[in-house]
Amino acid sequence: MYTLNKDNPAFFDSSKLQSEFIRQATICHGCRLCFNYCPAFPKMFQYTDKKGPSKLTLEDLFDVASDCFHCNMCYVNCPYTPPHEFNMDFPHLMAWAWLYYKSKTGLTLRDRLFEMLDTATLVRPIAKKFLEGGKQFMGISPDAPPLRLADRSFLKTVKPKKIEKPVAKVVLFHTCLVENFYPEIGEDVVEVLNALNIEVVTDNFACCGAPMLDVGDATQLKKNAEKNFKMLKEYMDKGYDVVSPIPTCTLMLTKEYKYILDREPIKVYDIMEYLMKLRKEGKISWNGEIPKNVFYHTPCHLKYLKVGLPGVQAMRTLKLNVEMSNMGCSGIDGGWGLRNYSKAKVVGAKMMDAFANSKADIFATECPLAGLQIEKASGRRAVHPISLLKEVIKNNPSK
């Protein structure tokens, strides 16, 4: 097993890292199913075509890893992942290489700024102006879609209701994206859960670590993982289920912490997965219809979680006519896409074109970062499926 734990001696085993790169690159060289997923694969194939996989170096690996934005689609579509004997796991190889490389070379000021999402609430007015006018300083591409800091934070505004005899108890890992940029998503989650007689508690969790992985900060990545793991485990021991509204953060908590902490991770539910689970168990129900057409983008990280399409299932219970774009990744995936937008817009071109030409009444996705590309392409904001469910429950309070 790979490790992303900077305190594990295997993390800094450069010979093992290079050997694993050569092994996986050899398999990729003969397959090439992922040649058009992201810039990392064409770059790797240039190296393997020129010198052959057996002569690949660590420098080649670090160059390839710089173009990986951790969408994980190569893992989802690879025919050779476990339990296949080839044991392919290209995303974790790229994550290991990037964290190793940045541990050796150090972080820049821009790297530090991109991972400081937990501090945005403390300096909100300053941070808001900085995001609006500091693109050049931050290294954000001029034509990248804007990431707007919200006027209010989620934790300072939400007030979950006290529920008598709840059908379930939930601790909401609300994520720094919801805390700082999309508090309305978190508010809708709490409103829906409370309306369905589900107890909700919130807490001051740290960022899930995705931005730290993006910039290559192995030290802060582990610190955040340790804090969150400890807090969430304590809630689970008290009978709470852990729910997250953003697939990327759900993935970090329930998948990546295994590699960052070298221990079995905790179970974290995507919010729509959790609601559909309780509905199928007969613990909750809702009535109501929205007679409209929805064009939906499936987040890459939701595919990696392998929980199906619970958001689509939920929307179809509302009699929404849901069409899925099925046009690949948006290309943003956090800071990488904003800093490398010339590449991100190529990755997301088909998806953006599909939304630009869609005549659907509503655009939807669980990934607000993919929503940035949708809005840039169409001029219309995408909504989280939880917001559509909230509207139905709000208009049908008996259910």
Side-chain angles (χ1 to χ4, degrees), residues 14 238 273 277 331-332 362-363:
S14 59
K238 296 176 183 177
E273 172 197 10
K277 171 182 176 291
I332 286 293
I362 300 168
F363 292 163

Side-chain angles (χ1 to χ4, degrees), residues 353-365:
D353 186 62
F355 278 91
N357 291 289
S358 174
K359 304 300 182 184
D361 304 305
I362 300 168
F363 292 163
T365 182

